[in-house]
Amino acid sequence: MHADLVVVANRLPVDRITMPDGTPGWRTSPGGLVTALEPVLRANDGVWIGWPGGTDQDLQPFEADGLRLVPMTMTAEEIEEFYEGFSNATLWPLYHDLVAKPEFHREWWDAYQRVNRRFAERCAEVASEGGTVWVQDYQLQLVPAMLRELRPDLRIGFYLHIPFPPAELFQQLPWRRQLLEGLLGADLVGFQLPGAAQNFIRLVRQRVGHKTHRDLVYLPDGRTVRATAYPISIDYAGFEELARSEAVTQRAKEIREALGNPEKIFLGCDRLDYTKGIYARLRAYGELLSEGELDVEQAVFVQVAVPSREQVEQYKILRDEIDRLVGRLNGDLGTIGRPAISYMHSSYPREEMAALYRAADVMVVTPYRDGMNLVAKEYVACRLDDDGALVLSEFAGAAEELRQAWLVNPYDLNGMKAALLEASRATPKEISRRMKAMRRTVSTNDVNAWASSFLHDLAEAGTAHDKTVRS
Ligand code: GDG
């Protein structure tokens, strides 16, 4: 397979499934990134390179639902060291404000380099002469430089979906300089927020010693690298249409009935991750019940926690903590048929997510740190009648755009309690004023706008400079 446009990400956009007749098959995975890039890939007859999950060794390139896919293999040891280890137990906590303590292991770093090299080599084989490669996310930060060494003719873009930490935190990483140099292999490095791009530029100046000006880095070899923010978004029209469908409208009513037609449904919906602030929000809600501000006869909190990274120790600990808290809150505060928290540890089809968004009166999104948070934007897209209140952490990237949400500091329990109450007691007029404004924002800045502005800037990036720089 060869292509002018190659997207490379840790995961392929499809999941391995077993068909009704027992044979293995593939299903397009429903994430935001896939919906964003799918039309671009189709329009350019592009190829997606990534790991399909599992340890199958002899996988061949294939087509699924019209997408051309190149699967990468991963050994059990690499899954442990590269994926669960360096990606999810070193970089993930380090890039999320040390919400958990990052672990630094030299074997994990070796595996990270090895896997990144293999991905870069595969990109080099697949990309056509003068083509474009768009590298995705924190698992593949060394790919841009490795690929440039193999294929200097390519245009290389990189996009980071998670936050990029301030220098004070990033410099803990024993391999900080190598990671920065890895990213500098790209012509354009995209971040969720301007602050992240500034953190990167500052680190490049301090740690690698390159000359920088605003969002540009001038390299000794004459290349210019641009680092800029492109806040990611959702398929707004697609979500709105789904929410409007008869099936979803009906299902939203059923959900409300199944919950006993409460006056207020609060909803949280997250991957079960310690960055998402699930524990703190449930605690705040529990206190409001025990203080009599809310009543289980009139309100319920639905928390969907999607299983995630279940082999990583911190995630196992978190799951136990949440299980215990939910058990305690329901035991102490629930009555027969009226739990305080309706808790699901499961993942659902997109239709069910849309129905939950439509059923919820108050959406509660309280991460300690989040690159963007698409759930908040999806909720907004599904509120067709301009109703529904969003309680949103200041520390989610989405808070920079969704200014009309009830913004909270997730570390401040009393502040969160006050915001939950205010949002649930606000007048319909106030709610609608806020929701209208947020819907305008998300409908304009949708995922197509995100992908096209990145690809447009990538096409223009990479010009040579004539600055005198230290080499
Ligand atoms: C990373 C960054 C950034 C969730 N449960 C189900 C399901 N989902 C979908 C949601 C949403 C997506 O997964 C989750 O996206 P988030 O943005 O909320 O969070 P992360 O997974 O942490 O994503 C984040 C994002 O990358 C994009 O750049 O915003 O900051 O951490 O689309 O709807 N989808 C289905 N069933 C589920 O049970 N179908």
Side-chain angles (χ1 to χ4, degrees):
M1 269 191 196
H2 284 277
D4 288 338
L5 177 66
V6 175
V7 167
V8 56
N10 177 51
R11 287 301 296 260
L12 276 182
V14 290
D15 295 322
R16 194 76 149 150
I17 52 161
T18 307
M19 307 297 265
D21 64 359
T23 57
W26 300 95
R27 183 182 51 209
T28 313
S29 49
L33 186 64
V34 182
T35 5
L37 296 175
E38 209 184 283
V40 187
L41 272 195
R42 281 187 212 284
N44 295 279
D45 197 18
V47 161
W48 188 306
I49 300 177
W51 172 51
T55 51
D56 292 350
Q57 286 301 311
D58 55 349
L59 296 165
Q60 297 304 316
F62 62 101
E63 260 186 47
D65 199 15
L67 289 177
R68 297 201 293 155
L69 306 173
V70 175
M72 298 295 297
T73 57
M74 198 93 70
T75 65
E77 196 186 16
E78 284 168 345
I79 294 176
E80 205 181 308
E81 297 183 345
F82 156 78
Y83 177 67
E84 290 159 1
F86 200 79
S87 297
N88 288 329
T90 305
L91 294 174
W92 180 268
L94 180 70
Y95 281 31
H96 286 90
D97 275 6
L98 311 189
V99 173
K101 193 169 162 45
E103 288 184 47
F104 302 120
H105 298 297
R106 285 165 288 185
E107 322 78 73
W108 291 2
W109 166 246
D110 292 342
Y112 187 79
Q113 292 177 91
R114 240 183 0 258
V115 173
N116 270 251
R117 183 160 308 282
R118 209 166 58 240
F119 272 73
E121 284 164 359
R122 200 71 178 108
C123 292
E125 288 162 10
V126 171
S128 323
E129 177 71 26
T132 296
V133 177
W134 190 1
V135 185
Q136 307 289 328
D137 228 2
Y138 63 103
Q139 302 92 347
L140 301 179
Q141 291 173 95
L142 301 177
V143 167
M146 289 173 168
L147 180 57
R148 181 161 302 280
E149 215 177 289
L150 297 167
R151 292 285 306 274
D153 59 297
L154 297 176
R155 198 169 280 278
I156 304 173
F158 180 90
Y159 187 77
L160 185 70
H161 291 259
I162 66 174
F164 191 79
E168 291 70 20
L169 301 183
F170 187 80
Q171 55 209 12
Q172 286 189 5
L173 188 72
W175 311 279
R176 56 202 181 189
R177 188 179 168 128
Q178 288 98 312
L179 275 195
L180 295 169
E181 283 173 341
L183 291 171
L184 287 170
D187 299 297
L188 177 63
V189 186
F191 298 90
Q192 300 275 21
L193 301 181
Q198 283 153 17
N199 288 344
F200 174 72
I201 295 271
R202 180 170 157 222
L203 271 158
V204 163
R205 199 167 52 238
Q206 286 177 345
R207 290 280 154 204
V208 198
H210 291 322
K211 194 182 171 90
T212 67
H213 177 64
R214 294 175 188 252
D215 63 353
L216 297 179
V217 181
Y218 301 113
L219 299 187
D221 66 3
R223 278 196 316 120
T224 309
V225 178
R226 193 169 163 213
T228 298
Y230 300 88
I232 200 168
S233 193
I234 57 159
D235 175 14
Y236 181 88
F239 258 99
E240 204 189 43
E241 195 188 320
L242 185 66
R244 204 183 288 281
S245 70
E246 190 45 44
V248 167
T249 309
Q250 195 48 39
R251 179 67 192 140
K253 284 202 190 105
E254 279 170 29
I255 291 173
R256 203 166 194 107
E257 264 163 40
L259 292 166
N261 280 318
E263 270 168 41
K264 294 287 169 194
I265 299 176
F266 293 76
L267 173 67
C269 179
D270 320 71
R271 272 188 311 99
L272 186 47
D273 194 297
Y274 50 79
T275 59
K276 302 287 184 185
I278 302 170
Y279 191 94
R281 90 173 61 127
L282 295 181
R283 227 184 112 189
Y285 184 79
E287 287 189 13
L288 289 173
L289 286 178
S290 55
E291 288 160 9
E293 298 283 2
L294 294 173
D295 182 346
V296 287
E297 296 298 326
Q298 278 129 35
V300 65
F301 200 117
V302 177
Q303 176 65 54
V304 175
V306 181
S308 182
R309 305 176 191 170
E310 292 181 293
Q311 298 314 313
V312 181
E313 192 54 31
Q314 295 277 6
Y315 289 75
K316 294 182 188 162
I317 296 172
L318 176 74
R319 181 170 180 200
D320 287 346
E321 285 173 356
I322 305 262
D323 282 353
R324 263 201 305 278
L325 178 65
V326 170
R328 205 177 68 221
L329 293 175
N330 282 340
D332 288 350
L333 304 164
T335 59
I336 287 178
R338 299 279 180 178
I341 316 288
S342 177
Y343 178 64
M344 273 87 63
H345 179 250
S346 175
S347 83
Y348 292 97
R350 230 163 69 101
E351 292 70 20
E352 183 74 359
M353 304 275 295
L356 282 164
Y357 292 146
R358 279 209 68 181
D361 303 292
V362 184
M363 181 83 214
V364 191
V365 181
T366 56
Y368 294 118
R369 182 58 71 193
D370 214 332
M372 176 54 61
N373 197 292
L374 297 180
V375 165
K377 292 188 172 180
E378 289 166 3
Y379 179 68
V380 167
C382 290
R383 303 308 298 188
L384 308 165
D385 301 323
D386 297 331
D387 57 0
L390 174 64
V391 174
L392 177 62
S393 163
E394 294 165 19
F395 307 134
E400 293 213 0
E401 288 168 86
L402 304 178
R403 304 305 303 169
Q404 296 79 10
W406 273 269
L407 293 175
V408 294
N409 169 359
Y411 294 97
D412 171 11
L413 268 181
N414 285 345
M416 247 192 322
K417 285 162 68 180
L420 287 174
L421 274 189
E422 251 186 59
S424 68
R425 291 175 182 170
T427 61
K429 196 170 157 211
E430 172 67 5
I431 287 177
S432 149
R433 182 186 67 78
R434 292 177 183 239
M435 186 50 81
K436 269 200 182 106
M438 292 193 286
R439 285 174 62 77
R440 261 198 306 277
T441 305
V442 185
S443 68
T444 316
N445 305 330
D446 69 354
V447 76
N448 296 324
W450 170 78
S452 38
S453 87
F454 186 94
L455 287 170
H456 170 269
D457 288 359
L458 179 56
E460 314 243 294
T463 47
H465 68 79
D466 54 7
K467 306 269 186 276
T468 320
V469 296
R470 282 163 284 161
S471 54

